[in-house]
Every structure is written in structure tokens, then in C-alpha cells.
Amino acid sequence: MFITLKDLAYWLFILIIFITPSEVKEGMQRFVDTLVFGVVITTICSSIPSLVSWFQTLLDMNDYQSRVSDLEYKIDLFTDRINALELSKKDS
């Protein structure tokens, strides 16, 4: 059985936690809190462009749907006019 670097780092971390005085632990805790806060802020900031793109896609879909609805309305009007024209031809 070999001692890997991961095992050594784990036991060193445990040793540091139990041996260090509480003042140092508070400093380490502040450092970890700052690090976690920085990672969270960085993650949020890096996800903003994809969120903007997603909302833009939703707006484009709404615009597309309104154009489709407009075209469907125009096709219905055109079909009604053609039917009316055919009826008037049959009546004549």
C-alpha cells in the first residue's frame, strides 16, 4: 500500500486543523469565506451572458410567434377572399 499525495494532503489538513490555535483558525475561516464568496460572485458573473442569451431567445420566440400569428391571420383573410371570389364566379 502506497501513500499518495492525496492521502498526505488529507492528513496534513486534519493535522493543521487540530494543531493550529483558534486565532489562526479564525483567519483561515475568513480566508475560506472570502474565497467562497469570490467563487460564488465569479460564477454568477460568468453566467450572466448565458442568462441574457436565454432571455433574448425567449424574446425572439415571442417575436417569432407574433409573426406566425400575423401570417396565419393573413392566410385566413386570403382564403376567405378566394372563397368569396369563387362563390361569386359560381353565382354569375
Side-chain angles (χ1 to χ4, degrees):
M1 181 172 164
F2 298 102
I3 297 177
T4 64
L5 186 61
K6 181 180 173 184
D7 295 332
L8 185 63
Y10 174 76
W11 287 110
L12 186 62
F13 181 72
I14 295 297
L15 186 65
I16 288 172
I17 286 176
F18 285 113
I19 291 179
T20 55
S22 61
E23 298 87 21
V24 176
K25 286 181 184 177
E26 289 174 10
M28 290 170 56
Q29 183 66 38
R30 280 193 300 264
F31 172 75
V32 169
D33 289 345
T34 304
L35 184 67
V36 168
F37 179 75
V39 167
V40 167
I41 293 298
T42 304
T43 303
I44 290 171
C45 289
S46 66
S47 67
I48 287 175
S50 61
L51 286 173
V52 169
S53 174
W54 183 73
F55 281 117
Q56 186 64 40
T57 303
L58 286 179
L59 291 174
D60 290 346
M61 287 175 58
N62 287 337
D63 183 44
Y64 174 76
Q65 185 62 38
S66 67
R67 287 181 182 180
V68 167
S69 297
D70 186 45
L71 285 175
E72 287 174 346
Y73 176 73
K74 288 179 181 179
I75 288 172
D76 288 341
L77 283 178
F78 184 67
T79 305
D80 290 342
R81 288 180 185 171
I82 289 176
N83 289 339
L85 185 63
E86 288 177 354
L87 284 175
S88 68
K89 283 184 181 180
K90 286 180 183 178
D91 291 341
S92 331

